[in-house]
């Protein structure tokens, strides 16, 4: 199976999003540049009309209404920019996945890697389903409000924009143009967020698979009596099998470290922007009446919460599998080996005392504890703003 077939089989949806966002490796450079230009023109233009709305009205409620969506647009630039600036490293991560799958492995190891690959696909589908629902809720609000107004025969038809903005002219003159502008912006956000976050999920789950495979090798150092081993593992000596396991451990750790190096600043900015947007959205939600716009803001709040949860749980997956690897090394049959082999076990255990982690700027570990702390911080900022 070549790399192109591997991409089609395992990255079909993610690749399409990545190509639309202009961040997929080996993509045609001209098409990639066109995607960058279109997305950034859309983002810059929508940010400008949002800022002009704040400056024109000079009202705190307007500011709070605009800030969360404005923060999401800034975060889009951070996400796309990270994968553009680290294109070479990202390509190495994807090529590494292909190389890891082409290695001759035993049936249990293939089963382990398939398990994590399926989990990555499930998380990807869950994320995209949530993103599509939020997008649809945003896009339908102006038209649903106008439809209700006509059905109830209101004297005036409400002029609600998909994205709050100010175009320096009367709303009735540019209403439909503004809706097209806002719709393109929301679709751009869906594409870039969907591409970057699903890519992050897939490579993290592959890192978990490599760590789990290393743990399996340490725990099953003794050769199997079955024909499950496809390589020459049966003919290996005890020390060679430990070397074989350590190589898998080093490969997994290197892969996690590369993910950390390319995402640490990106995750730090994500956490900061999400805290800001989440806090302001809470204030906005608790101070508005229940109407169609209320449900749009509520869906946006849920989307922010799911986005934060989605990022932090990836780090939790890595921590869990690192803990399992440490236990598997300890529970291996080291007591049946000679002194030199036992020293290799000690070195492997010593390395896992400082396990690889996914962090935000090297300051915040990405795990469920950090998720709860970020929610607490957001609620604290919300009470201050309220």
């Amino acid at each position: 199976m070549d790399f192109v077939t591997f991409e089609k089989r395992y990255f079909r949806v993610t690749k399409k999003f990545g190509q639309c966002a202009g961040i997929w490796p080996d993509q045609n450079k001209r098409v990639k540049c066109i995607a960058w230009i279109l997305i950034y023109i859309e983002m810059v233009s929508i940010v400008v009309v949002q800022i002009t709305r704040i400056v024109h009205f000079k009202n705190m409620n307007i500011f709070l209404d605009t800030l969360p969506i404005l923060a999401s647009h800034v975060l889009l630039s951070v996400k796309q920019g990270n994968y553009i600036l680290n294109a070479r490293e990202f390509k190495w991560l994807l090529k590494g996945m292909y190389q890891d799958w082409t290695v001759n492995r035993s049936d249990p190891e293939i089963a382990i890697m398939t398990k994590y690959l399926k989990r990555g696909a499930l998380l990807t589908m869950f994320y995209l389903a949530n993103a599509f629902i939020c997008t649809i809720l945003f896009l339908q609000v102006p038209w649903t409000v106008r439809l209700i107004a006509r059905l109830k025969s209101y004297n005036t038809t409400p002029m609600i924009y998909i994205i709050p903005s100010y175009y320096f002219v009367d709303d009735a003159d540019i209403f439909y143009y503004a809706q097209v502008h806002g719709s393109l912006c929301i679709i751009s956000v869906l594409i870039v967020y969907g591409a970057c976050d699903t890519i992050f999920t897939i490579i993290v789950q592959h890192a978990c698979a490599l760590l789990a495979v290393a743990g399996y090798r340490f725990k099953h150092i003794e050769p199997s009596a079955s024909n499950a081993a496809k390589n020459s593992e049966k003919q290996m000596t005890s020390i060679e099998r430990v070397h074989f396991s350590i190589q898998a451990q080093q490969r997994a750790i290197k892969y996690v470290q590369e993910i950390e190096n390319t995402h640490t600043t990106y995750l730090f900015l994500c956490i900061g922007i999400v805290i800001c947007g989440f806090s302001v959205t809470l204030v906005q939600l608790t101070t508005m009446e229940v109407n169609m716009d209320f449900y749009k803001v509520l869906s946006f709040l849920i989307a922010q919460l799911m986005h934060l949860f989605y990022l932090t749980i990836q780090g939790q997956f890595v921590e869990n599998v690192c803990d399992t690897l440490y236990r598997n090394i300890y529970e291996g049959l080291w007591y049946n080996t000679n002194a030199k082999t036992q020293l290799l076990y000690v070195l492997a255990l010593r390395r896992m005392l400082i396990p690889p982690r996914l962090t935000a700027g090297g300051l915040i570990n990405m795990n469920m504890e950090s998720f709860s702390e970020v929610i607490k911080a957001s609620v604290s900022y919300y009470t201050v703003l309220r």
Side-chain angles (χ1 to χ4, degrees):
M1 180 173 60
D2 59 7
F3 184 67
V4 176
T5 306
F6 180 76
E7 281 185 341
K8 290 181 179 179
R9 179 174 298 181
Y10 299 116
F11 306 128
R12 184 177 302 173
V13 176
T14 301
K15 182 178 179 179
K16 289 180 180 179
F17 275 85
Q19 288 176 333
C20 292
I23 60 175
W24 195 257
D26 299 328
Q27 185 179 357
N28 183 282
K29 292 184 178 179
R30 183 176 297 177
V31 176
K32 186 181 292 188
C33 289
I34 292 173
W36 294 349
I37 292 171
L38 291 177
I39 289 174
Y40 276 103
I41 287 177
E42 180 64 34
M43 286 302 104
V44 170
S45 61
I46 201 70
V47 167
V48 168
V49 294
Q50 284 181 288
I51 293 176
T52 55
R53 182 171 185 259
I54 297 173
V55 174
H56 177 74
F57 291 102
K58 298 178 182 177
N59 183 284
M60 180 56 69
N61 290 331
I62 297 295
F63 175 74
L64 293 178
D65 186 38
T66 307
L67 186 59
I69 300 179
L70 185 62
S72 68
H73 297 155
V74 174
L75 186 55
L76 178 145
S77 302
V78 172
K79 285 179 175 291
Q80 189 181 37
N82 178 68
Y83 283 92
I84 292 174
L85 295 176
N86 296 296
R88 182 178 300 176
E89 291 79 3
F90 171 47
K91 183 177 180 179
W92 181 89
L93 290 170
L94 283 184
K95 293 287 186 182
M97 288 185 65
Y98 170 68
Q99 293 169 1
D100 292 330
W101 273 93
T102 56
V103 172
N104 195 17
R105 299 181 182 275
S106 64
D107 290 339
E109 290 183 7
I110 294 175
I112 290 171
M113 296 189 69
T114 302
K115 168 190 171 184
Y116 284 94
L117 186 65
K118 289 181 178 178
R119 187 167 75 177
L122 179 63
L123 290 170
T124 296
M125 292 300 104
F126 175 75
Y127 180 89
L128 291 177
N130 181 64
F132 272 113
I133 291 172
C134 184
T135 300
I136 292 171
L137 287 173
F138 261 83
L139 295 178
Q140 59 83 33
V141 167
W143 314 111
T144 303
V145 171
R146 291 172 70 86
L147 178 61
I148 293 173
R150 290 195 176 187
L151 291 175
K152 293 188 176 182
S153 301
Y154 290 161
N155 294 329
T156 59
T157 303
M159 295 287 184
I160 298 179
Y161 290 160
I162 293 175
I163 295 178
S165 51
Y166 180 71
Y167 291 89
F168 298 100
V169 293
D170 186 72
D171 290 349
D173 295 337
I174 49 88
F175 177 76
Y176 294 103
Y177 296 105
Q179 302 309 332
V180 172
H181 188 204
S183 299
L184 291 175
C185 176
I186 293 297
I187 293 172
S188 299
V189 170
L190 172 65
I191 290 172
V192 175
Y193 275 58
C196 297
D197 292 340
T198 56
I199 287 170
F200 181 62
T201 298
I202 289 174
I203 59 179
V204 169
Q205 291 305 313
H206 182 68
C208 292
L210 295 178
L211 290 165
V213 166
Y216 171 82
R217 289 185 182 180
F218 274 108
K219 193 171 184 179
H220 301 83
I221 287 295
E222 292 299 318
S224 174
S226 66
N227 60 354
K230 296 181 179 179
N231 50 32
S232 59
E233 190 175 352
K234 288 184 179 180
Q235 286 71 40
M236 291 181 182
T237 64
S238 177
I239 194 169
E240 286 174 337
R241 287 193 292 272
V242 176
H243 275 294
F244 189 56
S245 303
I246 290 176
Q247 288 175 356
Q249 180 193 24
Q250 291 175 334
R251 165 60 183 161
I253 291 174
K254 181 180 179 183
Y255 197 86
V256 176
Q257 288 175 339
E258 187 63 29
I259 297 175
E260 162 71 4
N261 293 337
T262 55
H263 290 82
T264 180
T265 304
Y266 156 77
L267 291 173
F268 181 76
L269 294 174
C270 284
I271 293 296
I273 294 173
V274 166
I275 289 176
C276 175
F278 189 79
S279 303
V280 176
T281 306
L282 273 177
V283 175
Q284 184 183 359
L285 191 68
T286 55
T287 55
M288 65 189 305
E289 297 179 356
V290 178
N291 49 31
M292 288 301 300
D293 207 31
F294 173 86
Y295 293 108
K296 182 186 77 171
V297 176
L298 178 61
S299 70
F300 185 52
L301 181 72
I302 295 173
Q304 289 176 300
L305 186 64
M306 294 306 301
H307 178 234
L308 177 62
F309 174 79
Y310 196 81
L311 293 179
T312 52
I313 199 173
Q314 304 305 324
Q316 185 66 56
F317 285 140
V318 173
E319 289 191 9
N320 291 346
V321 75
C322 283
D323 293 339
T324 303
L325 173 55
Y326 182 87
R327 289 197 303 270
N328 286 341
I329 296 172
Y330 182 76
E331 293 172 359
L333 302 178
W334 51 269
Y335 43 82
N336 291 336
T337 62
N338 55 41
K340 289 185 178 180
T341 306
Q342 290 175 0
L343 286 175
L344 292 177
Y345 271 94
V346 172
L347 292 175
L349 280 173
R350 177 65 182 84
R351 177 62 186 85
M352 294 310 297
L353 291 177
I354 309 176
R357 292 280 189 263
L358 297 181
T359 66
L363 302 174
I364 305 171
N365 287 330
M366 301 299 289
N367 52 34
M368 297 313 297
E369 182 180 356
S370 297
F371 173 75
S372 64
E373 292 298 326
V374 169
I375 296 299
K376 290 178 183 178
S378 300
V379 174
S380 298
Y381 296 139
Y382 151 73
T383 57
V384 172
L385 290 170
R386 182 67 188 272

